[in-house]
Amino acid sequence: MVQDCTSSSQPLWLQPETLWPKIRLQTQHALECGSLQPIPTTYKWVEHNGIRFVVRILANLQRKIAAKQAQSKTFNPFLPYDPHLFVTDLSPTHLVLLNKFNVMDHHLLIVTREFESQDDFLNAQDFQALALGLSEVDGLAFYNGGFKAGASQPHKHMQIVPLPFVPDGSRLPLESLLLENAVAEQAGANPRLPFQHLVTRFEKLDFTQPKALSMDLLEVYRHLMGSLNLMSLDSTKPSPGAYNLLMTREWMGIVPRSQDSYADIPINALGFAGALLVRNKEQLAYLQEIGPLTVLQEVGCPA
Ligand code: AMP
């Protein structure tokens, strides 16, 4: 349970144990009024080098095209946001929205109240917001740092999808591989994964102290980013490269990125958790032919 900051009299802090009820209520409402427009998919397991990936296939291309068109407009969908998608205030700096075009149920966006750039480094307030979100939702938190990392909006937004990831109950397809060489509190990489990455396993996150926790998480992030040459010692300088951040209650990982898609298959942070999305059966067939690891290798950086 989150205690220190949420017991404050400021109304903007998330009140403990209120996030899930609010998510369910708002989802119901947003579906009824048409603001929430889930993108229907089917899914298939695709194996490559003995590694299993979950691949979602769009059931309805039209809706995805509509979603893309909505995203390509110059307006900022998070400022002002659609009030029908508003879930709750999280902190004085961040609030929670439902992802309008969700592929997975209860896909949350954690956006900054004021405009900040998606190219900015994450800061203590961002990690505090992520910690508050993860304290109530056992999920995968992620950040697509820059357009080459799969971001479609320039306004800073982090995301959380609840676990398990797949309808059959699988938590995260690539999790055990990502963690294979990540000893507690030390960054590690798995040579079986053909793209640069670095993962740190947490000892145990103390969600009762979100402020202290956010500083610890920030330190881990800076260490991983620095080790991958994505951040200089002077962390105020703009980020030299795109990257994905993935984080659960147990670990944090960073994956540097070279491009947003390969063979027209777009990849964001979820790809490096083992979940891909294709447009149609033809694209699925091509993905099966070349293998998901090839796609991740091409959109990542050489290991
Ligand atoms: P990303 O594409 O990773 O940058 O994440 C941005 C997300 O915002 C996408 O997954 C979109 O589905 C979602 N989105 C687009 N427009 C809106 C909107 N008006 N309100 C809430 N979410 C939106």
Side-chain angles (χ1 to χ4, degrees):
M1 223 177 39
V2 176
Q3 277 163 2
D4 69 349
C5 57
T6 52
S7 61
S8 143
S9 57
Q10 285 192 60
L12 293 177
W13 290 106
L14 176 73
Q15 296 304 303
E17 292 174 31
T18 58
L19 188 50
W20 264 118
K22 286 181 173 180
I23 293 169
R24 291 206 179 90
L25 211 66
Q26 202 60 29
T27 299
Q28 183 67 28
H29 165 76
L31 281 172
E32 280 165 13
C33 74
S35 273
L36 190 59
Q37 298 180 24
I39 296 182
T41 56
T42 55
Y43 76 95
K44 234 180 157 21
W45 288 100
V46 174
E47 215 175 291
H48 190 190
N49 290 359
I51 302 171
R52 284 193 346 144
F53 292 83
V54 63
V55 181
R56 291 188 164 84
I57 306 125
L58 291 182
N60 174 352
L61 189 56
Q62 280 323 106
R63 185 165 275 194
K64 185 67 181 169
I65 290 170
K68 227 180 159 46
Q69 280 167 352
Q71 286 178 19
S72 66
K73 289 181 189 155
T74 47
F75 84 98
N76 179 350
F78 308 143
L79 194 65
Y81 53 80
D82 176 347
H84 297 297
L85 297 171
F86 174 79
V87 177
T88 184
D89 290 311
L90 204 50
S91 70
T93 50
H94 291 73
L95 50 88
V96 182
L97 301 177
L98 297 174
N99 184 324
K100 184 175 182 67
F101 306 109
N102 62 309
V103 169
M104 282 170 275
D105 288 345
H106 306 129
H107 183 157
L108 307 177
L109 302 178
I110 299 183
V111 309
T112 54
R113 215 173 276 283
E114 307 287 338
F115 181 83
E116 287 180 39
S117 166
Q118 188 76 359
D119 290 329
D120 285 354
F121 289 120
L122 296 180
N123 56 39
Q125 287 77 25
D126 296 323
F127 279 107
Q128 190 165 16
L130 279 180
L132 284 164
L134 282 180
S135 71
E136 304 233 342
V137 174
D138 183 13
L140 173 75
F142 63 97
Y143 185 64
N144 300 322
F147 283 97
K148 280 188 183 172
S152 62
Q153 301 297 334
H155 182 129
K156 191 188 261 183
H157 55 288
M158 301 165 291
Q159 313 191 37
I160 297 183
V161 284
L163 296 172
F165 219 43
V166 191
D168 78 354
S170 308
R171 216 178 111 86
L172 279 174
L174 283 194
E175 185 172 46
S176 56
L177 276 169
L178 287 168
L179 288 177
E180 210 166 87
N181 293 335
V183 188
E185 304 290 320
Q186 276 181 30
N190 185 344
R192 281 180 69 198
L193 295 172
F195 49 84
Q196 266 184 45
H197 63 282
L198 220 40
V199 178
T200 289
R201 205 190 278 257
F202 304 133
E203 286 283 12
K204 182 149 180 47
L205 299 190
D206 182 1
F207 287 112
T208 64
Q209 305 293 332
K211 265 191 191 141
L213 177 55
S214 65
M215 296 314 292
D216 291 347
L217 294 174
L218 183 62
E219 201 180 310
V220 174
Y221 164 74
R222 288 187 170 158
H223 175 71
L224 294 175
M225 293 285 285
S227 305
L228 289 161
N229 294 322
L230 287 163
M231 186 187 263
S232 60
L233 283 179
D234 175 7
S235 62
T236 55
K237 284 192 187 145
S239 172
Y243 66 95
N244 292 119
L245 170 133
L246 296 88
M247 185 173 122
T248 69
R249 290 174 174 177
E250 284 83 37
W251 55 271
M252 184 193 297
I254 299 282
V255 182
R257 293 291 301 270
S258 59
Q259 52 180 336
D260 67 339
S261 63
Y262 179 70
D264 224 14
I265 300 172
I267 300 291
N268 66 15
L270 299 178
F272 295 94
L276 290 86
L277 180 76
V278 295
R279 278 203 307 262
N280 50 38
K281 286 193 177 127
E282 291 71 32
Q283 215 174 37
L284 173 67
Y286 186 62
L287 179 65
Q288 284 170 316
E289 193 185 317
I290 60 173
L293 283 174
T294 308
V295 176
L296 297 185
Q297 182 172 15
E298 293 292 335
V299 299
C301 294

